[in-house]
């Protein structure tokens, strides 16, 4: 990894997240020379594995893959990264709408009818989502109607009990990382459809998005991918300006590096792509799109104990609650390690509220919540770490781009359509498991193949 | 206006719109040396007067001031720019909810009850808006509730007749330039409150926001302001990077100019301010704010005729319609000039749909609409011109920043709060007539005085 002042390549890739790395590797495989320009001092983008104790990596960013993430399974196998299943034994712990803390079995018995409501909503969502093409959600027959209401307003109109409505909010915020009133209902349906069905999106169990983890940490994926293209990556090099013609680009970076190529693939989230200066300037529709796709607000916090003491109580480490700082948690222990690890998710309003507190204050609030659900031992972790993404200059929010009302229908077609020599990647532009690592691979491959086809002409 | 490579000043101002020009003039008046860095080749920002025929300036950008725009009246007087009243005689022409084209008096007689509904909504809006402080809308007692619904959803819930609901949409989109489902209801109340009452915001007649125009064109204001600070403006100089400490800034521009100062006032719309790179990076809350304040979508189109032929028919040149490309128009003739000038407003969805068409197609669609309302002579203009703002690289949308659900409550406090040596201006940060020229003056003065106070310590 060198930093010459002038660089030439066939294709410049902006961003060394999964999408950019995959694009570069695909280009290299086709005999083209890529150059990845990464603003940060590291590769991986929204993947960030930190080894907080020897042999104990925690995932401050992307963590899981699910059973239908075929590209990611294949990639892991190719890179020699082993996988293991997410722990999922025992009861969850609930506290919803004033129920007080209740164990899962009791909760399910007491709220059987409310859970039935939820199932009916999921079936209806699946039915409606099946009318939405992930390639072009704005073409759905009822796109105009669905894009003109928020997901939250649609939920509110379903006549649900407080418990069902609250659970629905928690499930959905767990995916979108914004309150449902910030998302267009069409965007929710798009999200469901890119993932298959609600059962896959919302479940952690079989068929869900979060069934499987990587030995050594998710960071092994970008690390090993980067090793395959290591001669073609420059770190610490934020792109400031892309000059472009129909068949060439010149990319100017902070620090003085100037790189020329025949194409550029911008493999960063759309909101960040909108901060680059383009010359000639991009069309208004593309520019107004990137003003309207804010990254969501998510934060993860890890409590590491001497052992997973909750398991002995028949608990699975998952809390689901509408009080306190975290709406959900789970057991994130590592195979072959004795520590007990609880991960708390702060998403949407919780990420915003608690993410702006001093760390010790939010830690104290989360500790109190863990003690309520898992007992006094929860107050004595060996280690604590959390990670907020909106403060990170080269990410600025997780998990992905949110679409408010009328964004998909008025601007969606500009999301991944190339403009001259400029192509767009990042998981936010994917059509299968958009927002997930799986989508990042798809988007990187799609952009690279489009460029390969163009340059072969 | 020179372009040295290195520049020093007391205070750098980013952007030569009204807000930046006023800030620079205020600083100069206090004995400080400002340096305005303007990306564009001209001053004025969202003001753009084009002399399409000798003595016939048309306003592609900001055009009017209203009776309570005291700062702007004072500024015009100081700069020697004369004002004149907006023409407002005769009937409007309506076509709403399938009514067909109807003259104003007939429309008002037929839909008296519907117009009464509208009045009741305005009174309710005034009442609710009075609980919202324009300095801190997130502190309103019901802020959480009002920010969690869209203005459109609130309107939908008022049980209005189709005619009343449609008129309400047209009025509101005429202000916000986005469909009401894109705006938070709290944002609507904020907008009303910064302007006084709905009557002032929505009316063109006495007390409204659009009563008065400038002789020679609105462009005279920034032009004459710029003349007062002309030794301190550098054009064609987009800011790319602001390095900052608690007491100093170094600003790096495309083209190589580097400027140092003790403070910087960023006087551009928040979405554009978010594209500048800051070192050290800004806090996450500020960054996520600027991801969530997209500029709205507005466009103006002018048909210039040999005379204002509609006046002889007792019409005032205003159409109000829910069919065709423009929801509203008005008579924009100039005193002392014989031409008849009709201005059509394309706002929100209309700006997006028609703004992306070839000009001849949207002109044809507007011509057909004008003929329906004003007769065959409307098909024969001497001249046509239109201006879309999202294509303009250094503006990227008008009239101003829109706040969707939960933006004000989660991020509003970061809108104008200085960060170390960095201060924020632009009309979007104003508390009185935010989004108008009046607000731009207020914001520029506020930021300049804050800097003057700091530097006097």
């Amino acid at each position: 990894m060198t930093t010459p002042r002038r660089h030439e390549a066939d294709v410049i890739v902006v961003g060394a997240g999964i999408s950019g790395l995959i694009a570069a590797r695909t280009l290299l495989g086709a005999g083209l020379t890529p150059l990845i320009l990464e603003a940060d001092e590291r590769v991986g983008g929204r993947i960030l594995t930190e080894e907080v104790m020897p042999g104990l990596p925690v995932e401050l960013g992307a963590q899981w893959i699910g059973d239908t993430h075929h590209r990611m399974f294949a990639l892991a196998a190719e890179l020699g990264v082993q996988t293991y299943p997410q722990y999922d034994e025992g009861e969850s712990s609930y506290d919803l709408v004033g129920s007080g803390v209740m164990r899962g079995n009791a909760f399910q018995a007491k709220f059987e009818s409310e859970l039935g409501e939820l199932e009916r909503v999921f079936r209806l969502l699946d039915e409606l989502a099946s009318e939405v093409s992930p390639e072009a959600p704005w073409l759905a027959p009822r796109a105009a109607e669905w894009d003109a209401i928020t997901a939250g307003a649609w939920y509110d109109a379903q006549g649900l009990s407080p418990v069902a409505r609250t659970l629905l909010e928690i499930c959905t915020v767990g995916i979108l990382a914004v309150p449902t009133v910030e998302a267009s209902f069409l965007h929710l349906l798009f999200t469901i459809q890119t993932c298959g069905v609600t059962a896959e999106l919302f479940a952690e169990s079989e068929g869900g998005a979060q069934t499987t983890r990587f030995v050594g940490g998710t960071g092994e994926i970008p690390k090993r991918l980067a090793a395959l293209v290591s001669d073609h990556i420059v770190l610490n090099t934020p792109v400031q300006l892309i000059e472009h013609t129909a068949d060439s680009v010149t990319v100017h970076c902070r620090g003085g590096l100037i790189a020329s190529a025949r194409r550029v693939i911008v493999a960063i989230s759309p909101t960040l792509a909108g901060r680059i200066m383009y010359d000639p300037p991009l069309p208004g529709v593309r520019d107004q799109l990137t003003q309207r796709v804010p990254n969501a607000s998510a934060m993860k916090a890890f409590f590491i104990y001497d052992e997973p003491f909750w398991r002995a109580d028949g608990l699975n480490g998952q809390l689901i609650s509408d009080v306190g700082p975290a709406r959900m948690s789970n057991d994130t222990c590592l195979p072959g390690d004795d520590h007990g690890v609880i991960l708390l998710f702060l998403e949407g309003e919780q990420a915003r509220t608690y993410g702006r507190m001093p760390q010790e204050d939010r830690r104290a609030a989360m500790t109190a919540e863990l003690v309520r659900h898992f007992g006094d031992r929860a107050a004595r972790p060996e280690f604590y770490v959390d990670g907020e993404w909106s403060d990170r200059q080269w990410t600025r929010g997780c998990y992905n781009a949110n679409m408010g009302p009328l964004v998909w229908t008025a601007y969606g077609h500009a999301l991944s359509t190339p403009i001259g020599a400029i192509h767009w990647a990042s998981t936010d532009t994917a059509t299968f498991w958009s927002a997930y690592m799986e989508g990042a691979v798809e988007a990187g491959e799609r952009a690279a193949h489009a460029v390969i086809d163009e340059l072969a002409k």
Side-chain angles (χ1 to χ4, degrees), chain A:
Chain A
M1 301 190 189
T2 55
T3 54
R5 300 278 303 176
R6 282 255 169 200
H7 224 111
E8 293 212 355
D10 291 316
V11 183
I12 292 163
V13 176
V14 180
I18 292 274
S19 217
L21 291 167
I22 285 286
R25 190 196 64 156
T26 307
L27 293 162
L28 204 55
L32 294 169
T33 305
L35 171 64
I36 302 181
L37 301 173
E38 168 56 50
D40 211 342
E41 62 188 9
R42 63 176 182 83
V43 301
R46 287 170 256 183
I47 297 169
L48 180 56
T49 305
E50 268 189 26
E51 191 161 345
V52 297
M53 296 179 187
L56 205 151
V58 302
E59 307 293 356
L60 295 173
Q63 182 159 350
W64 292 274
I65 57 175
D67 294 358
T68 61
H69 296 194
H70 309 302
R71 289 181 181 87
M72 281 300 293
F73 273 105
L75 181 62
E78 179 198 332
L79 297 173
V81 179
Q82 305 291 312
T83 61
Y84 62 95
Q86 166 66 26
Y87 183 80
D88 186 32
E89 286 169 38
E91 294 178 81
S92 298
S93 178
Y94 289 80
D95 185 1
L96 286 178
V97 196
S99 70
V101 173
M102 296 180 73
R103 291 176 71 118
N105 292 340
F107 181 85
Q108 279 162 30
K110 179 167 178 186
F111 295 107
E112 193 181 348
S113 145
E114 286 83 351
L115 294 169
E117 293 174 57
L118 209 60
E119 273 309 303
R120 284 192 293 279
V121 171
F122 286 156
R123 293 297 77 73
L124 180 53
L125 286 171
D126 284 336
E127 194 185 311
L128 300 180
S130 73
E131 297 176 34
V132 176
S133 153
E135 281 79 24
W138 55 92
L139 296 181
R142 296 167 70 186
E145 173 193 344
W146 292 337
D147 212 23
I149 52 170
T150 66
W154 189 88
Y155 285 168
D156 287 342
Q158 302 310 304
L160 298 169
S161 65
V163 164
R165 177 67 184 86
T166 302
L167 270 173
L168 202 51
E169 186 73 14
I170 291 173
C171 290
T172 313
V173 175
I175 305 297
L176 301 178
V178 294
T180 59
V181 71
E182 293 183 28
S184 143
F185 182 54
L186 182 64
H187 183 58
L188 174 64
L189 295 176
F190 161 82
T191 303
I192 292 167
Q193 189 66 2
T194 76
C195 302
V197 293
T198 50
E200 296 198 16
L201 189 58
F202 294 124
E204 266 185 35
S205 52
E206 205 177 331
Q210 306 190 353
T211 61
T212 304
R213 298 178 58 194
F214 298 105
V215 174
T218 311
E220 288 298 308
I221 301 286
K223 188 175 116 189
R224 295 184 192 200
L225 260 180
L228 299 178
V229 292
S230 61
D231 294 343
H232 307 273
I233 305 179
V234 185
L235 299 176
N236 298 303
T237 305
V239 169
Q240 293 186 297
L241 166 68
I242 297 179
E243 295 171 323
H244 58 109
T245 71
D247 209 42
S248 73
V249 296
T250 304
V251 177
H252 300 254
C253 305
R254 185 177 179 196
L257 186 148
I258 299 173
S260 303
R262 296 175 63 193
R263 293 291 185 279
V264 62
I265 296 173
V266 179
I268 56 181
S269 61
T271 192
L272 296 185
R275 297 180 185 186
I276 295 172
M277 201 175 286
Y278 299 86
D279 185 2
L282 301 187
V285 59
R286 167 74 198 182
D287 195 279
Q288 285 222 331
L289 167 76
T290 56
Q291 294 180 42
R292 286 165 167 76
V293 283
N295 286 335
S297 310
M299 172 163 193
K300 295 167 81 178
F302 294 84
F303 286 74
I304 301 174
Y305 302 94
D306 57 349
E307 61 171 359
F309 56 85
W310 52 89
R311 292 183 182 179
D313 294 335
L315 292 166
N316 63 8
Q318 181 170 68
L319 71 80
I320 296 168
S321 165
D322 65 348
V323 293
R327 296 290 177 257
M328 294 184 102
S329 71
N330 70 27
D331 176 323
T332 290
C333 299
L334 292 162
D337 181 279
D338 291 338
H339 290 94
V341 186
I342 292 267
L343 157 59
L344 291 106
F345 298 93
L346 307 185
E347 291 153 330
E349 288 182 290
Q350 280 67 47
R352 293 167 189 168
T353 306
Y354 291 91
R356 295 172 196 165
M357 288 181 179
Q359 194 191 56
E360 61 192 50
D361 292 354
R362 68 173 166 259
R363 176 178 168 169
M366 283 185 268
T367 300
E369 181 72 355
L370 286 169
V371 167
R372 288 193 330 115
H373 285 275
F374 304 123
D376 288 343
R377 287 184 68 179
R380 296 185 297 277
E382 289 183 7
F383 192 83
Y384 171 85
V385 62
D386 62 29
E388 207 279 324
W389 284 90
S390 68
D391 283 334
R392 291 186 177 267
Q393 184 178 16
W394 308 119
T395 303
R396 291 304 194 182
C398 276
Y399 306 111
N400 67 314
N402 178 55
M403 305 292 208
L406 303 186
V407 175
W408 269 117
T409 45
Y411 298 100
H413 62 286
L415 182 63
S416 60
T417 307
I419 298 175
I422 309 173
H423 289 248
W424 312 105
S426 96
T427 188
D428 314 272
T429 69
T431 60
F432 185 61
W433 289 100
S434 173
Y436 292 79
M437 290 182 274
E438 182 72 8
V441 176
E442 182 215 280
E445 288 178 345
R446 187 246 311 138
H449 285 301
V451 166
I452 291 165
D453 288 351
E454 285 183 12
L455 296 185
K457 276 174 193 165

